Amino acid sequence: MPRLSAAALAAVLALSGCAGGNEIESGGEEDRFISGDGSATVFETGEREAVPDVTGTTFDGGEISLSDYSGEILVLNVWASWCGPCRAEQPVLDEVYTEYGGLGVDFLGVNIKDDETAALAYTDNKDVPYPSLYDQPGEIPQAFRDTVPPRAIPSTLVIDPDGNIAARVIGPTTYGQLTGLLDPLVVEFAFGDPEERPRVSEQEGYGEGYGEGGAGEGADEAPETADETDQDAADGAPDGDGD
C-alpha cells in the first residue's frame, strides 16, 4: 500500500502524542493504548489510499475480507469491551448503521486485545447489529498503521466503494460527525439522498439507548482535510511515539 506523505504521517504521530492523559492501560507496557480526541480527517478523491488486503475471523468462526464490501461504503470501527470511549460511542454506531443501511453503507467491527468471552458478552448485551472480527493480537490495526496509530482505540475508518480510505476518526465519533463523513460519499457514489433516510430519533421508542454521547452532536464540526492535517503538523504539532 502506498505510504502517506511525511507530513501526513507526522500529523498522525502528533495525534497519538496529544492523547496524553487519555491513555488506557491494559496489562503491561506493551498493552498500553491511547484514546484520541475524536478528530476527523477527510481524504479527497485523488488523495485516498487503497486499503490493505485484510481478512479476519468473526466471533462465530466466519471469515470476512474487506474486499467482500467492494461496491459499498464501509465503516470500519476498532474497539474493545474494556474501552470506555468505545462503550460511549456504540449507540452512535448502532444508530447510524440503522439509518444508512439503505444508502449503500455497511459496518464492520474489529475487536482487539480483548478477552473473547468479554467481547461476546459486550456484543450480546448491547445487541450490536453488525459483525466484528476477533483480532486479539491487534494485527489488523497494524495493517493500517500508515493511516491510524495501531494503539488508538476507538478509531474509525470510512472506506469508499472503490476500496480507498475516504476518512478517519481517531477517538470516539459522534452522530453529527459520522453522518457528516458519510453523506458526501453517499452522494458521490449516487446511493441516494441521505436527507431522506429514516431517522431513528423520530421512531417510537427512541430513548437514552440511542445517540448517547452525541446524537446530532458535532454536526457543525468540520473535519479536517488531509492538506489541513499536513499544515497542522507543519505548524508545530507535538511529537508522539506513533506506535
Side-chain angles (χ1 to χ4, degrees):
M1 184 176 97
R3 302 179 70 84
L4 292 179
S5 67
L9 183 55
V12 174
L13 302 183
L15 284 170
S16 172
C18 287
N22 290 332
E23 286 184 351
I24 301 169
E25 294 192 21
S26 173
E29 182 71 22
E30 295 304 312
D31 293 324
R32 180 178 292 176
F33 287 82
I34 60 172
S35 178
D37 61 4
S39 298
T41 302
V42 171
F43 300 97
E44 302 300 335
T45 304
E47 303 170 338
R48 296 174 189 168
E49 302 285 346
V51 297
D53 185 14
V54 169
T55 298
T57 303
T58 62
F59 290 114
D60 62 7
E63 190 173 276
I64 293 179
S65 299
L66 294 188
S67 59
D68 295 338
Y69 295 89
S70 178
E72 299 177 275
I73 299 168
L74 176 64
V75 177
L76 186 71
N77 177 258
V78 179
W79 65 278
S81 65
W82 45 261
C83 165
C86 301
R87 291 176 173 271
E89 75 171 354
Q90 189 63 58
V92 169
L93 301 176
D94 295 347
E95 185 171 359
V96 176
Y97 172 83
T98 299
E99 293 185 355
Y100 283 76
L103 291 169
V105 178
D106 210 341
F107 279 57
L108 178 65
V110 180
N111 176 256
I112 66 170
K113 299 293 184 178
D114 208 349
D115 175 79
E116 186 172 9
T117 300
L120 275 170
Y122 175 96
T123 58
D124 289 344
N125 292 339
K126 293 187 175 292
D127 198 22
V128 178
Y130 52 84
S132 282
L133 303 178
Y134 180 56
D135 179 27
Q136 205 286 330
E139 294 175 352
I140 293 174
Q142 288 289 339
F144 288 93
R145 66 181 300 113
D146 286 347
T147 307
V148 175
R151 293 183 183 179
I153 183 170
S155 58
T156 301
L157 290 169
V158 179
I159 301 169
D160 73 20
D162 294 330
N164 300 316
I165 300 171
R168 68 171 177 229
V169 181
I170 301 178
T173 189
T174 64
Y175 178 90
Q177 181 186 65
L178 186 53
T179 57
L181 296 175
L182 290 174
D183 286 354
L185 284 176
V186 170
V187 172
E188 177 184 342
F189 287 90
F191 286 145
D193 183 355
E195 292 300 317
E196 296 181 357
R197 70 184 186 275
R199 304 301 175 98
V200 169
S201 61
E202 298 173 356
Q203 297 176 11
E204 184 177 354
Y206 173 86
E208 294 182 358
Y210 274 108
E212 182 179 318
E217 182 181 327
D220 297 327
E221 298 174 3
E224 293 181 327
T225 64
D227 286 343
E228 289 170 336
T229 302
D230 290 353
Q231 185 59 52
D232 289 343
D235 289 341
D239 294 330
D241 60 20
D243 275 336

PDB file of all heavy atoms in Angstrom, residues 129-163:
ATOM      1  N   PRO A 129     -25.652  -4.691  15.969  1.00  0.00           N
ATOM      2  CA  PRO A 129     -26.327  -5.251  14.796  1.00  0.00           C
ATOM      3  C   PRO A 129     -25.428  -5.664  13.640  1.00  0.00           C
ATOM      4  O   PRO A 129     -25.924  -6.154  12.620  1.00  0.00           O
ATOM      5  CB  PRO A 129     -27.255  -4.108  14.370  1.00  0.00           C
ATOM      6  CG  PRO A 129     -26.514  -2.871  14.760  1.00  0.00           C
ATOM      7  CD  PRO A 129     -25.790  -3.216  16.026  1.00  0.00           C
ATOM      8  N   TYR A 130     -24.128  -5.468  13.745  1.00  0.00           N
ATOM      9  CA  TYR A 130     -23.218  -5.806  12.650  1.00  0.00           C
ATOM     10  C   TYR A 130     -22.094  -6.685  13.194  1.00  0.00           C
ATOM     11  O   TYR A 130     -21.835  -6.716  14.408  1.00  0.00           O
ATOM     12  CB  TYR A 130     -22.664  -4.536  12.005  1.00  0.00           C
ATOM     13  CG  TYR A 130     -22.049  -3.568  12.981  1.00  0.00           C
ATOM     14  CD1 TYR A 130     -20.735  -3.698  13.411  1.00  0.00           C
ATOM     15  CD2 TYR A 130     -22.801  -2.518  13.506  1.00  0.00           C
ATOM     16  CE1 TYR A 130     -20.178  -2.829  14.330  1.00  0.00           C
ATOM     17  CE2 TYR A 130     -22.258  -1.636  14.427  1.00  0.00           C
ATOM     18  CZ  TYR A 130     -20.950  -1.794  14.834  1.00  0.00           C
ATOM     19  OH  TYR A 130     -20.410  -0.934  15.752  1.00  0.00           O
ATOM     20  N   PRO A 131     -21.389  -7.412  12.344  1.00  0.00           N
ATOM     21  CA  PRO A 131     -20.360  -8.352  12.818  1.00  0.00           C
ATOM     22  C   PRO A 131     -19.062  -7.656  13.203  1.00  0.00           C
ATOM     23  O   PRO A 131     -18.807  -6.510  12.820  1.00  0.00           O
ATOM     24  CB  PRO A 131     -20.143  -9.268  11.610  1.00  0.00           C
ATOM     25  CG  PRO A 131     -20.452  -8.399  10.437  1.00  0.00           C
ATOM     26  CD  PRO A 131     -21.592  -7.516  10.879  1.00  0.00           C
ATOM     27  N   SER A 132     -18.256  -8.357  13.960  1.00  0.00           N
ATOM     28  CA  SER A 132     -16.910  -7.899  14.301  1.00  0.00           C
ATOM     29  C   SER A 132     -15.922  -9.031  14.077  1.00  0.00           C
ATOM     30  O   SER A 132     -16.239 -10.208  14.303  1.00  0.00           O
ATOM     31  CB  SER A 132     -16.827  -7.450  15.764  1.00  0.00           C
ATOM     32  OG  SER A 132     -17.368  -6.167  15.966  1.00  0.00           O
ATOM     33  N   LEU A 133     -14.731  -8.654  13.657  1.00  0.00           N
ATOM     34  CA  LEU A 133     -13.633  -9.604  13.571  1.00  0.00           C
ATOM     35  C   LEU A 133     -12.950  -9.667  14.936  1.00  0.00           C
ATOM     36  O   LEU A 133     -12.723  -8.630  15.569  1.00  0.00           O
ATOM     37  CB  LEU A 133     -12.629  -9.160  12.506  1.00  0.00           C
ATOM     38  CG  LEU A 133     -13.186  -8.953  11.098  1.00  0.00           C
ATOM     39  CD1 LEU A 133     -12.074  -8.458  10.164  1.00  0.00           C
ATOM     40  CD2 LEU A 133     -13.803 -10.235  10.560  1.00  0.00           C
ATOM     41  N   TYR A 134     -12.629 -10.874  15.391  1.00  0.00           N
ATOM     42  CA  TYR A 134     -11.926 -11.024  16.657  1.00  0.00           C
ATOM     43  C   TYR A 134     -10.431 -11.078  16.378  1.00  0.00           C
ATOM     44  O   TYR A 134      -9.924 -12.027  15.792  1.00  0.00           O
ATOM     45  CB  TYR A 134     -12.388 -12.288  17.387  1.00  0.00           C
ATOM     46  CG  TYR A 134     -11.700 -12.497  18.714  1.00  0.00           C
ATOM     47  CD1 TYR A 134     -11.745 -11.514  19.705  1.00  0.00           C
ATOM     48  CD2 TYR A 134     -10.993 -13.669  18.978  1.00  0.00           C
ATOM     49  CE1 TYR A 134     -11.111 -11.698  20.924  1.00  0.00           C
ATOM     50  CE2 TYR A 134     -10.363 -13.859  20.201  1.00  0.00           C
ATOM     51  CZ  TYR A 134     -10.420 -12.861  21.164  1.00  0.00           C
ATOM     52  OH  TYR A 134      -9.782 -13.049  22.374  1.00  0.00           O
ATOM     53  N   ASP A 135      -9.745 -10.022  16.793  1.00  0.00           N
ATOM     54  CA  ASP A 135      -8.326  -9.863  16.466  1.00  0.00           C
ATOM     55  C   ASP A 135      -7.549  -9.602  17.759  1.00  0.00           C
ATOM     56  O   ASP A 135      -7.055  -8.503  17.984  1.00  0.00           O
ATOM     57  CB  ASP A 135      -8.167  -8.700  15.477  1.00  0.00           C
ATOM     58  CG  ASP A 135      -6.721  -8.430  15.088  1.00  0.00           C
ATOM     59  OD1 ASP A 135      -5.907  -9.373  15.135  1.00  0.00           O
ATOM     60  OD2 ASP A 135      -6.417  -7.266  14.751  1.00  0.00           O
ATOM     61  N   GLN A 136      -7.459 -10.607  18.601  1.00  0.00           N
ATOM     62  CA  GLN A 136      -6.829 -10.426  19.909  1.00  0.00           C
ATOM     63  C   GLN A 136      -5.411  -9.849  19.797  1.00  0.00           C
ATOM     64  O   GLN A 136      -5.055  -8.944  20.560  1.00  0.00           O
ATOM     65  CB  GLN A 136      -6.820 -11.754  20.674  1.00  0.00           C
ATOM     66  CG  GLN A 136      -6.755 -11.602  22.191  1.00  0.00           C
ATOM     67  CD  GLN A 136      -5.380 -11.195  22.674  1.00  0.00           C
ATOM     68  OE1 GLN A 136      -4.373 -11.520  22.067  1.00  0.00           O
ATOM     69  NE2 GLN A 136      -5.327 -10.474  23.786  1.00  0.00           N
ATOM     70  N   PRO A 137      -4.580 -10.300  18.864  1.00  0.00           N
ATOM     71  CA  PRO A 137      -3.218  -9.749  18.775  1.00  0.00           C
ATOM     72  C   PRO A 137      -3.166  -8.301  18.280  1.00  0.00           C
ATOM     73  O   PRO A 137      -2.134  -7.644  18.398  1.00  0.00           O
ATOM     74  CB  PRO A 137      -2.525 -10.681  17.774  1.00  0.00           C
ATOM     75  CG  PRO A 137      -3.365 -11.905  17.720  1.00  0.00           C
ATOM     76  CD  PRO A 137      -4.760 -11.443  17.945  1.00  0.00           C
ATOM     77  N   GLY A 138      -4.247  -7.806  17.674  1.00  0.00           N
ATOM     78  CA  GLY A 138      -4.232  -6.458  17.118  1.00  0.00           C
ATOM     79  C   GLY A 138      -3.490  -6.361  15.801  1.00  0.00           C
ATOM     80  O   GLY A 138      -2.893  -5.329  15.484  1.00  0.00           O
ATOM     81  N   GLU A 139      -3.548  -7.418  14.993  1.00  0.00           N
ATOM     82  CA  GLU A 139      -2.815  -7.437  13.729  1.00  0.00           C
ATOM     83  C   GLU A 139      -3.474  -6.566  12.655  1.00  0.00           C
ATOM     84  O   GLU A 139      -2.786  -5.986  11.810  1.00  0.00           O
ATOM     85  CB  GLU A 139      -2.694  -8.872  13.230  1.00  0.00           C
ATOM     86  CG  GLU A 139      -1.826  -9.755  14.125  1.00  0.00           C
ATOM     87  CD  GLU A 139      -1.815 -11.205  13.693  1.00  0.00           C
ATOM     88  OE1 GLU A 139      -2.615 -11.540  12.780  1.00  0.00           O
ATOM     89  OE2 GLU A 139      -1.028 -11.990  14.245  1.00  0.00           O
ATOM     90  N   ILE A 140      -4.804  -6.471  12.663  1.00  0.00           N
ATOM     91  CA  ILE A 140      -5.487  -5.695  11.628  1.00  0.00           C
ATOM     92  C   ILE A 140      -5.150  -4.210  11.738  1.00  0.00           C
ATOM     93  O   ILE A 140      -4.817  -3.573  10.718  1.00  0.00           O
ATOM     94  CB  ILE A 140      -7.005  -5.946  11.670  1.00  0.00           C
ATOM     95  CG1 ILE A 140      -7.299  -7.400  11.260  1.00  0.00           C
ATOM     96  CG2 ILE A 140      -7.758  -4.975  10.763  1.00  0.00           C
ATOM     97  CD1 ILE A 140      -8.746  -7.816  11.394  1.00  0.00           C
ATOM     98  N   PRO A 141      -5.195  -3.598  12.927  1.00  0.00           N
ATOM     99  CA  PRO A 141      -4.772  -2.189  13.010  1.00  0.00           C
ATOM    100  C   PRO A 141      -3.335  -1.960  12.546  1.00  0.00           C
ATOM    101  O   PRO A 141      -3.019  -0.894  12.009  1.00  0.00           O
ATOM    102  CB  PRO A 141      -4.930  -1.862  14.508  1.00  0.00           C
ATOM    103  CG  PRO A 141      -6.001  -2.790  14.976  1.00  0.00           C
ATOM    104  CD  PRO A 141      -5.771  -4.058  14.211  1.00  0.00           C
ATOM    105  N   GLN A 142      -2.466  -2.958  12.722  1.00  0.00           N
ATOM    106  CA  GLN A 142      -1.101  -2.818  12.240  1.00  0.00           C
ATOM    107  C   GLN A 142      -1.063  -2.635  10.726  1.00  0.00           C
ATOM    108  O   GLN A 142      -0.201  -1.940  10.188  1.00  0.00           O
ATOM    109  CB  GLN A 142      -0.267  -4.043  12.635  1.00  0.00           C
ATOM    110  CG  GLN A 142       0.065  -4.132  14.119  1.00  0.00           C
ATOM    111  CD  GLN A 142       1.089  -3.092  14.551  1.00  0.00           C
ATOM    112  OE1 GLN A 142       1.834  -2.556  13.728  1.00  0.00           O
ATOM    113  NE2 GLN A 142       1.130  -2.803  15.845  1.00  0.00           N
ATOM    114  N   ALA A 143      -2.027  -3.256  10.029  1.00  0.00           N
ATOM    115  CA  ALA A 143      -2.071  -3.135   8.573  1.00  0.00           C
ATOM    116  C   ALA A 143      -2.443  -1.719   8.135  1.00  0.00           C
ATOM    117  O   ALA A 143      -2.170  -1.333   6.997  1.00  0.00           O
ATOM    118  CB  ALA A 143      -3.070  -4.151   7.998  1.00  0.00           C
ATOM    119  N   PHE A 144      -3.064  -0.949   9.051  1.00  0.00           N
ATOM    120  CA  PHE A 144      -3.480   0.425   8.743  1.00  0.00           C
ATOM    121  C   PHE A 144      -2.578   1.447   9.430  1.00  0.00           C
ATOM    122  O   PHE A 144      -2.951   2.603   9.557  1.00  0.00           O
ATOM    123  CB  PHE A 144      -4.929   0.636   9.199  1.00  0.00           C
ATOM    124  CG  PHE A 144      -5.948  -0.066   8.361  1.00  0.00           C
ATOM    125  CD1 PHE A 144      -6.390  -1.337   8.705  1.00  0.00           C
ATOM    126  CD2 PHE A 144      -6.485   0.533   7.236  1.00  0.00           C
ATOM    127  CE1 PHE A 144      -7.337  -1.994   7.941  1.00  0.00           C
ATOM    128  CE2 PHE A 144      -7.443  -0.108   6.463  1.00  0.00           C
ATOM    129  CZ  PHE A 144      -7.865  -1.384   6.818  1.00  0.00           C
ATOM    130  N   ARG A 145      -1.396   1.027   9.845  1.00  0.00           N
ATOM    131  CA  ARG A 145      -0.565   1.895  10.681  1.00  0.00           C
ATOM    132  C   ARG A 145      -0.130   3.175   9.976  1.00  0.00           C
ATOM    133  O   ARG A 145       0.266   4.150  10.639  1.00  0.00           O
ATOM    134  CB  ARG A 145       0.658   1.126  11.189  1.00  0.00           C
ATOM    135  CG  ARG A 145       1.640   0.703  10.122  1.00  0.00           C
ATOM    136  CD  ARG A 145       2.823  -0.072  10.723  1.00  0.00           C
ATOM    137  NE  ARG A 145       3.544   0.735  11.691  1.00  0.00           N
ATOM    138  CZ  ARG A 145       3.591   0.472  13.010  1.00  0.00           C
ATOM    139  NH1 ARG A 145       2.970  -0.586  13.489  1.00  0.00           N
ATOM    140  NH2 ARG A 145       4.257   1.256  13.815  1.00  0.00           N
ATOM    141  N   ASP A 146      -0.175   3.220   8.650  1.00  0.00           N
ATOM    142  CA  ASP A 146       0.184   4.442   7.934  1.00  0.00           C
ATOM    143  C   ASP A 146      -0.931   5.482   7.979  1.00  0.00           C
ATOM    144  O   ASP A 146      -0.721   6.638   7.586  1.00  0.00           O
ATOM    145  CB  ASP A 146       0.528   4.141   6.474  1.00  0.00           C
ATOM    146  CG  ASP A 146       1.874   3.464   6.319  1.00  0.00           C
ATOM    147  OD1 ASP A 146       2.644   3.454   7.303  1.00  0.00           O
ATOM    148  OD2 ASP A 146       2.154   2.928   5.235  1.00  0.00           O
ATOM    149  N   THR A 147      -2.119   5.073   8.431  1.00  0.00           N
ATOM    150  CA  THR A 147      -3.264   5.987   8.473  1.00  0.00           C
ATOM    151  C   THR A 147      -3.721   6.267   9.897  1.00  0.00           C
ATOM    152  O   THR A 147      -4.101   7.393  10.226  1.00  0.00           O
ATOM    153  CB  THR A 147      -4.444   5.412   7.666  1.00  0.00           C
ATOM    154  OG1 THR A 147      -3.996   5.087   6.351  1.00  0.00           O
ATOM    155  CG2 THR A 147      -5.579   6.418   7.570  1.00  0.00           C
ATOM    156  N   VAL A 148      -3.700   5.252  10.751  1.00  0.00           N
ATOM    157  CA  VAL A 148      -4.151   5.397  12.139  1.00  0.00           C
ATOM    158  C   VAL A 148      -3.147   4.699  13.053  1.00  0.00           C
ATOM    159  O   VAL A 148      -2.745   3.560  12.768  1.00  0.00           O
ATOM    160  CB  VAL A 148      -5.547   4.760  12.339  1.00  0.00           C
ATOM    161  CG1 VAL A 148      -5.952   4.816  13.810  1.00  0.00           C
ATOM    162  CG2 VAL A 148      -6.592   5.475  11.487  1.00  0.00           C
ATOM    163  N   PRO A 149      -2.731   5.327  14.152  1.00  0.00           N
ATOM    164  CA  PRO A 149      -1.849   4.634  15.095  1.00  0.00           C
ATOM    165  C   PRO A 149      -2.492   3.335  15.568  1.00  0.00           C
ATOM    166  O   PRO A 149      -3.650   3.343  15.999  1.00  0.00           O
ATOM    167  CB  PRO A 149      -1.706   5.632  16.248  1.00  0.00           C
ATOM    168  CG  PRO A 149      -1.994   6.963  15.640  1.00  0.00           C
ATOM    169  CD  PRO A 149      -3.023   6.709  14.582  1.00  0.00           C
ATOM    170  N   PRO A 150      -1.805   2.214  15.492  1.00  0.00           N
ATOM    171  CA  PRO A 150      -2.409   0.931  15.851  1.00  0.00           C
ATOM    172  C   PRO A 150      -2.926   0.865  17.282  1.00  0.00           C
ATOM    173  O   PRO A 150      -3.796   0.054  17.585  1.00  0.00           O
ATOM    174  CB  PRO A 150      -1.276  -0.080  15.630  1.00  0.00           C
ATOM    175  CG  PRO A 150      -0.386   0.581  14.627  1.00  0.00           C
ATOM    176  CD  PRO A 150      -0.442   2.045  14.949  1.00  0.00           C
ATOM    177  N   ARG A 151      -2.389   1.705  18.174  1.00  0.00           N
ATOM    178  CA  ARG A 151      -2.835   1.680  19.568  1.00  0.00           C
ATOM    179  C   ARG A 151      -3.934   2.687  19.861  1.00  0.00           C
ATOM    180  O   ARG A 151      -4.316   2.874  21.015  1.00  0.00           O
ATOM    181  CB  ARG A 151      -1.644   1.906  20.499  1.00  0.00           C
ATOM    182  CG  ARG A 151      -0.642   0.760  20.459  1.00  0.00           C
ATOM    183  CD  ARG A 151       0.486   0.979  21.444  1.00  0.00           C
ATOM    184  NE  ARG A 151       1.477  -0.085  21.349  1.00  0.00           N
ATOM    185  CZ  ARG A 151       2.577  -0.144  22.085  1.00  0.00           C
ATOM    186  NH1 ARG A 151       2.829   0.811  22.964  1.00  0.00           N
ATOM    187  NH2 ARG A 151       3.422  -1.137  21.948  1.00  0.00           N
ATOM    188  N   ALA A 152      -4.440   3.366  18.839  1.00  0.00           N
ATOM    189  CA  ALA A 152      -5.534   4.308  19.026  1.00  0.00           C
ATOM    190  C   ALA A 152      -6.855   3.553  19.076  1.00  0.00           C
ATOM    191  O   ALA A 152      -7.221   2.857  18.135  1.00  0.00           O
ATOM    192  CB  ALA A 152      -5.554   5.323  17.885  1.00  0.00           C
ATOM    193  N   ILE A 153      -7.568   3.676  20.189  1.00  0.00           N
ATOM    194  CA  ILE A 153      -8.829   2.966  20.348  1.00  0.00           C
ATOM    195  C   ILE A 153      -9.787   3.820  21.172  1.00  0.00           C
ATOM    196  O   ILE A 153      -9.376   4.361  22.207  1.00  0.00           O
ATOM    197  CB  ILE A 153      -8.591   1.589  20.999  1.00  0.00           C
ATOM    198  CG1 ILE A 153      -9.893   0.798  21.105  1.00  0.00           C
ATOM    199  CG2 ILE A 153      -7.908   1.696  22.347  1.00  0.00           C
ATOM    200  CD1 ILE A 153      -9.706  -0.648  21.513  1.00  0.00           C
ATOM    201  N   PRO A 154     -11.012   4.027  20.695  1.00  0.00           N
ATOM    202  CA  PRO A 154     -11.522   3.544  19.418  1.00  0.00           C
ATOM    203  C   PRO A 154     -10.960   4.362  18.258  1.00  0.00           C
ATOM    204  O   PRO A 154     -10.479   5.476  18.442  1.00  0.00           O
ATOM    205  CB  PRO A 154     -13.032   3.762  19.551  1.00  0.00           C
ATOM    206  CG  PRO A 154     -13.139   4.972  20.436  1.00  0.00           C
ATOM    207  CD  PRO A 154     -12.013   4.827  21.430  1.00  0.00           C
ATOM    208  N   SER A 155     -11.064   3.795  17.091  1.00  0.00           N
ATOM    209  CA  SER A 155     -10.757   4.521  15.866  1.00  0.00           C
ATOM    210  C   SER A 155     -11.692   4.006  14.776  1.00  0.00           C
ATOM    211  O   SER A 155     -12.161   2.868  14.829  1.00  0.00           O
ATOM    212  CB  SER A 155      -9.293   4.361  15.453  1.00  0.00           C
ATOM    213  OG  SER A 155      -8.964   2.995  15.280  1.00  0.00           O
ATOM    214  N   THR A 156     -11.974   4.869  13.820  1.00  0.00           N
ATOM    215  CA  THR A 156     -12.936   4.535  12.769  1.00  0.00           C
ATOM    216  C   THR A 156     -12.390   4.958  11.416  1.00  0.00           C
ATOM    217  O   THR A 156     -11.880   6.072  11.274  1.00  0.00           O
ATOM    218  CB  THR A 156     -14.288   5.236  13.024  1.00  0.00           C
ATOM    219  OG1 THR A 156     -14.807   4.830  14.295  1.00  0.00           O
ATOM    220  CG2 THR A 156     -15.299   4.895  11.946  1.00  0.00           C
ATOM    221  N   LEU A 157     -12.505   4.072  10.449  1.00  0.00           N
ATOM    222  CA  LEU A 157     -12.149   4.380   9.067  1.00  0.00           C
ATOM    223  C   LEU A 157     -13.400   4.298   8.205  1.00  0.00           C
ATOM    224  O   LEU A 157     -14.215   3.375   8.373  1.00  0.00           O
ATOM    225  CB  LEU A 157     -11.111   3.391   8.543  1.00  0.00           C
ATOM    226  CG  LEU A 157      -9.706   3.489   9.138  1.00  0.00           C
ATOM    227  CD1 LEU A 157      -8.871   2.277   8.713  1.00  0.00           C
ATOM    228  CD2 LEU A 157      -9.018   4.768   8.684  1.00  0.00           C
ATOM    229  N   VAL A 158     -13.545   5.244   7.303  1.00  0.00           N
ATOM    230  CA  VAL A 158     -14.622   5.204   6.312  1.00  0.00           C
ATOM    231  C   VAL A 158     -13.976   4.871   4.972  1.00  0.00           C
ATOM    232  O   VAL A 158     -13.114   5.603   4.491  1.00  0.00           O
ATOM    233  CB  VAL A 158     -15.375   6.540   6.243  1.00  0.00           C
ATOM    234  CG1 VAL A 158     -16.471   6.467   5.176  1.00  0.00           C
ATOM    235  CG2 VAL A 158     -15.982   6.888   7.602  1.00  0.00           C
ATOM    236  N   ILE A 159     -14.389   3.751   4.402  1.00  0.00           N
ATOM    237  CA  ILE A 159     -13.782   3.229   3.167  1.00  0.00           C
ATOM    238  C   ILE A 159     -14.789   3.362   2.031  1.00  0.00           C
ATOM    239  O   ILE A 159     -15.956   2.965   2.168  1.00  0.00           O
ATOM    240  CB  ILE A 159     -13.377   1.754   3.366  1.00  0.00           C
ATOM    241  CG1 ILE A 159     -12.369   1.656   4.533  1.00  0.00           C
ATOM    242  CG2 ILE A 159     -12.789   1.168   2.093  1.00  0.00           C
ATOM    243  CD1 ILE A 159     -12.115   0.235   4.994  1.00  0.00           C
ATOM    244  N   ASP A 160     -14.361   3.935   0.924  1.00  0.00           N
ATOM    245  CA  ASP A 160     -15.298   4.164  -0.180  1.00  0.00           C
ATOM    246  C   ASP A 160     -15.530   2.881  -0.977  1.00  0.00           C
ATOM    247  O   ASP A 160     -14.834   1.868  -0.775  1.00  0.00           O
ATOM    248  CB  ASP A 160     -14.839   5.328  -1.062  1.00  0.00           C
ATOM    249  CG  ASP A 160     -13.631   5.015  -1.944  1.00  0.00           C
ATOM    250  OD1 ASP A 160     -13.329   3.835  -2.190  1.00  0.00           O
ATOM    251  OD2 ASP A 160     -12.987   5.986  -2.410  1.00  0.00           O
ATOM    252  N   PRO A 161     -16.511   2.863  -1.875  1.00  0.00           N
ATOM    253  CA  PRO A 161     -16.842   1.644  -2.612  1.00  0.00           C
ATOM    254  C   PRO A 161     -15.721   1.117  -3.504  1.00  0.00           C
ATOM    255  O   PRO A 161     -15.757  -0.048  -3.915  1.00  0.00           O
ATOM    256  CB  PRO A 161     -18.061   2.062  -3.447  1.00  0.00           C
ATOM    257  CG  PRO A 161     -18.688   3.157  -2.667  1.00  0.00           C
ATOM    258  CD  PRO A 161     -17.526   3.923  -2.092  1.00  0.00           C
ATOM    259  N   ASP A 162     -14.735   1.963  -3.796  1.00  0.00           N
ATOM    260  CA  ASP A 162     -13.599   1.521  -4.594  1.00  0.00           C
ATOM    261  C   ASP A 162     -12.484   0.921  -3.741  1.00  0.00           C
ATOM    262  O   ASP A 162     -11.431   0.535  -4.263  1.00  0.00           O
ATOM    263  CB  ASP A 162     -13.027   2.704  -5.398  1.00  0.00           C
ATOM    264  CG  ASP A 162     -14.008   3.217  -6.444  1.00  0.00           C
ATOM    265  OD1 ASP A 162     -14.808   2.407  -6.953  1.00  0.00           O
ATOM    266  OD2 ASP A 162     -13.970   4.430  -6.748  1.00  0.00           O
ATOM    267  N   GLY A 163     -12.723   0.827  -2.435  1.00  0.00           N
ATOM    268  CA  GLY A 163     -11.731   0.234  -1.547  1.00  0.00           C
ATOM    269  C   GLY A 163     -10.636   1.193  -1.124  1.00  0.00           C
ATOM    270  O   GLY A 163      -9.532   0.757  -0.783  1.00  0.00           O
TER     271      GLY A 163
END
